[in-house]
Amino acid sequence: MSDVRVRFAPSPTGYLHIGGLRTALFNYLYARHTDGTMILRIEDTDRTRFVEGALENLLKALDWSGVEIDEGVMLDENDQVTEKGEYGPYIQSDRVKAGIYNKYIEKLIEEDKAYYCFCSQERIDKVRDRQKADGLTPKYDGLCRSIPLEEAKERIANGEEYTVRLKLPKNREISFEDRIKGKITFNTDDMDDQVLIKRDGFPTYHFAVVVDDHLMKITHVVRGDEWISSTPKHVYLYEAFGWDAPEYIHLPTVLNEDHKKYSKRNGDGMVEDFIAEGYTPEGLINFLALLGWSPDSEEEIFTMEELAKQFDFDRVNKTGAVFDKRKLDWVNGHYVRDLSVEQLAKEIKPFMVESGMIDENYSDENLNLLAETWQSAIDKFSDAPKLSKNYFLDENEIEWDEEASEVLKEENTKKLVDAYLEKLGEADEIDEEFAKTIMKTIQKETGIKGKNLWFPIRAAITGSVHGPDLSNVMLLMGKEKIEKRLNYVKENF
């Protein structure tokens, strides 16, 4: 195994977002490409935003997607949260309880690289409001930077509330090399003296992430490019501790179709929504891999193993990638077509039941026939009820499309419907023999052929002149439903 160690380190502040899954995926693919290690760490130091059940949802979503965790937080065989690895705990709140961060913050304070700040939130807000009004970048004004350490310790002993801030050097350029974006430079005068320890004693993300990445021997930090402006603070912290910084890789933003951030806050793109819509894990993962990364070929359909073999950050785009749901449907459709009819039937059944089209006792034979009939048109499992609904609705609920409505008014339609009804009356049921021969029989009796034959019959039975194999449709609907449907057409068109 190589020494490459990557981590996905989400906060349990809600359900897993599609942008988060892509970040996890790119970490995972690079770990597999380099024979490295994929670590999952949970960054839950912001207790105000903690959401109950979010951790379990995250782990189940990763498990569903096929993004495997080698080390850190994971689910055991009983779906219980557990941890594996020698650098734990892997949940930050547990690391706080274990006192892991204490000696590191004390070191920075003793070396005058961090300081105690006693300013109230009210004062900080006023300072920032004034700076905004003056057209300045809002940031902490450094009031507490010069308080002598002994005086600060006395104030703490007297019960004053405090935070600990990073003491950035004045007017200093901090540069780092990003694998995707190239060299990035910030001046410390444009940066804030970041809070490292909050009033509640919990470390902030910026402090804990550096300590944890160092202690867990992370070699590559792969995250969204919204973290670029924070990276100089992290780079400086590495320097302050005398540690080697990891390599930074900031991924392009996932954009919606309006080219704005595909945001969790707007309720866009939660992974559980894609699962609920009936996307396959393989389809979603294949699509996400191509969201900002391009393979060294024209291919677009890949297994996870094929993705890992080809994946490298050198082919990741610098600019944002648009989440195109039509492309997702196209990619996912490939995986639907590859399923056996029986497997597809099993997958669409819950969606058919939920829609009220069928109940749990619907026959496997008919469900398999339904899956076979629509397999070439289903892109995600939730498509099945929409595509097949006219087979299950009562005749007064069916929706005839515009083209079908026009065809049903044509003079030959009544003649064809009557011919079909006559043959239907002679049959005990619609079996395979009837379904396969009825149209030829009507053609011989009426002399009508081609689309002049097929369009009216199909329109009368299904509500559309286009669709899948009509003999399958007849078998699915059965004699009684078709009889009622055709009589309704005679009376209403």
Side-chain angles (χ1 to χ4, degrees):
M1 186 164 281
S2 76
D3 61 358
V4 167
R5 288 174 61 80
V6 296
R7 74 344 182 240
F8 178 49
S11 301
T13 56
Y15 288 166
L16 181 62
H17 185 256
I18 210 78
L21 180 56
R22 189 195 60 166
T23 299
L25 174 65
F26 280 22
N27 273 283
Y28 173 78
L29 291 176
Y30 191 64
R32 291 294 173 268
H33 182 75
T34 56
D35 196 25
T37 305
M38 170 73 173
I39 296 144
L40 179 68
R41 184 173 73 229
I42 301 300
E43 303 194 334
D44 63 341
T45 56
D46 187 349
R47 304 306 290 172
T48 61
R49 294 177 62 217
F50 180 81
V51 172
E52 199 65 48
L55 173 56
E56 289 78 5
N57 171 274
L58 163 80
L59 294 172
K60 283 175 181 168
L62 290 176
D63 197 44
W64 173 84
S65 72
V67 172
E68 299 165 331
I69 307 305
D70 301 316
E71 179 182 318
V73 185
M74 57 186 74
L75 292 172
D76 66 15
E77 61 274 10
N78 301 314
D79 275 352
Q80 298 300 304
V81 177
T82 187
E83 292 186 23
K84 172 185 159 190
E86 57 185 291
Y87 299 100
Y90 292 89
I91 296 176
Q92 279 184 344
S93 55
D94 292 338
R95 295 174 72 76
V96 172
K97 288 173 199 161
I100 286 169
Y101 305 107
N102 298 350
K103 68 176 181 180
Y104 297 103
I105 202 67
E106 284 164 16
K107 175 179 166 68
L108 291 178
I109 290 167
E110 293 300 327
E111 293 177 2
D112 199 30
K113 291 169 182 169
Y115 60 94
Y116 295 107
C117 174
F118 301 94
C119 294
S120 67
Q121 192 58 50
E122 188 184 6
R123 180 188 178 273
I124 291 165
D125 290 343
K126 279 181 183 170
V127 167
R128 288 184 171 165
D129 288 344
R130 194 166 61 244
Q131 289 168 333
K132 277 184 198 168
D134 294 341
L136 302 170
T137 303
K139 60 177 188 172
Y140 179 62
D141 61 357
L143 181 71
C144 296
R145 275 176 74 109
S146 55
I147 296 173
L149 186 54
E150 287 311 310
E151 182 189 325
K153 285 181 175 176
E154 258 181 58
R155 290 173 69 171
I156 291 166
N158 290 334
E160 274 194 62
E161 279 197 345
Y162 66 92
T163 59
V164 178
R165 288 182 179 272
L166 179 63
K167 193 178 238 182
L168 283 170
K170 297 287 185 186
N171 192 24
R172 160 126 175 250
E173 291 204 330
I174 295 176
S175 296
F176 64 94
E177 196 71 33
D178 184 273
R179 179 81 166 264
I180 294 169
K181 317 276 184 185
K183 188 176 183 181
I184 297 173
T185 302
F186 286 80
N187 191 290
T188 54
D189 285 356
D190 300 322
M191 293 158 59
D192 212 347
D193 277 1
Q194 183 66 51
V195 172
L196 303 179
I197 302 291
K198 295 176 282 188
R199 283 184 179 81
D200 61 7
F202 270 70
T204 59
Y205 166 81
H206 302 283
F207 181 57
V209 76
V210 169
V211 173
D212 289 347
D213 282 347
H214 172 71
L215 294 179
M216 293 180 187
K217 297 184 164 45
I218 301 303
T219 58
H220 298 74
V221 169
V222 183
R223 59 190 178 194
D225 60 10
E226 67 269 21
W227 293 107
I228 285 178
S229 60
S230 301
T231 304
K233 299 167 191 175
H234 304 166
V235 169
Y236 179 71
L237 272 170
Y238 274 99
E239 183 190 311
F241 282 121
W243 300 335
D244 290 335
E247 184 169 358
Y248 286 101
I249 298 130
H250 289 97
L251 304 175
T253 307
V254 178
L255 306 171
N256 63 22
E257 289 185 359
D258 298 327
H259 290 252
K260 292 177 179 161
K261 188 176 177 186
Y262 197 58
S263 169
K264 183 191 271 194
R265 285 184 184 158
N266 296 337
D268 282 338
M270 311 313 290
V271 174
E272 65 172 352
D273 294 337
F274 291 92
I275 297 173
E277 276 192 78
Y279 287 94
T280 65
E282 299 84 0
L284 187 59
I285 285 297
N286 191 153
F287 170 76
L288 285 180
L290 300 173
L291 207 55
W293 171 79
S294 53
D296 189 15
S297 69
E298 295 300 310
E299 292 171 80
E300 295 193 276
I301 304 300
F302 297 91
T303 64
M304 188 76 94
E305 292 73 24
E306 289 164 343
L307 286 168
K309 194 172 181 184
Q310 283 209 40
F311 187 81
D312 199 88
F313 290 113
D314 297 339
R315 297 189 67 85
V316 173
N317 303 337
K318 289 183 171 68
T319 54
V322 174
F323 191 101
D324 180 350
K325 211 162 182 199
R326 284 159 302 196
K327 180 68 178 284
L328 168 60
D329 286 351
W330 179 83
V331 171
N332 198 70
H334 277 261
Y335 292 93
V336 174
R337 310 288 173 259
D338 283 345
L339 294 173
S340 69
V341 166
E342 292 75 18
Q343 183 62 33
L344 178 57
K346 185 180 162 194
E347 296 288 2
I348 65 173
K349 183 174 182 178
F351 295 92
M352 294 299 296
V353 170
E354 190 187 349
S355 72
M357 299 290 162
I358 65 172
D359 61 25
E360 289 289 353
N361 300 318
Y362 191 70
S363 80
D364 289 345
E365 187 184 351
N366 272 8
L367 198 57
N368 288 343
L369 185 60
L370 183 68
E372 179 196 311
T373 302
W374 283 107
Q375 184 156 21
S376 62
I378 292 172
D379 290 326
K380 54 189 180 297
F381 304 132
S382 61
D383 290 344
K386 297 172 202 163
L387 290 167
S388 63
K389 68 178 181 180
N390 278 0
Y391 305 169
F392 299 94
L393 293 172
D394 288 337
E395 56 278 5
N396 59 340
E397 298 172 318
I398 183 177
E399 294 171 19
W400 274 271
D401 65 33
E402 199 175 326
E403 205 175 345
S405 296
E406 290 304 313
V407 166
L408 292 177
K409 291 169 189 167
E410 290 174 2
E411 58 182 278
N412 275 335
T413 298
K414 186 174 183 306
K415 186 177 177 182
L416 290 166
V417 167
D418 282 339
Y420 191 107
L421 279 168
E422 185 186 334
K423 295 298 167 198
L424 196 57
E426 295 166 6
D428 293 331
E429 60 175 350
I430 293 183
D431 56 15
E432 209 161 319
E433 175 68 18
F434 180 94
K436 291 285 185 195
T437 60
I438 180 66
M439 297 304 282
K440 277 188 183 171
T441 305
I442 294 173
Q443 181 183 323
K444 276 182 189 169
E445 289 193 3
T446 62
I448 301 167
K449 56 187 178 182
K451 70 176 187 179
N452 294 328
L453 166 70
W454 285 89
F455 277 19
I457 295 290
R458 186 185 284 279
I461 292 174
T462 71
S464 176
V465 298
H466 305 290
D469 187 328
L470 193 55
S471 61
N472 281 9
V473 176
M474 293 176 200
L475 287 166
L476 282 164
M477 289 179 66
K479 178 179 176 178
E480 187 183 348
K481 188 168 273 294
I482 290 180
E483 205 161 32
K484 284 182 180 175
R485 184 82 46 95
L486 295 182
N487 281 317
Y488 181 86
V489 166
K490 279 179 68 176
E491 290 166 21
N492 290 278
F493 286 91

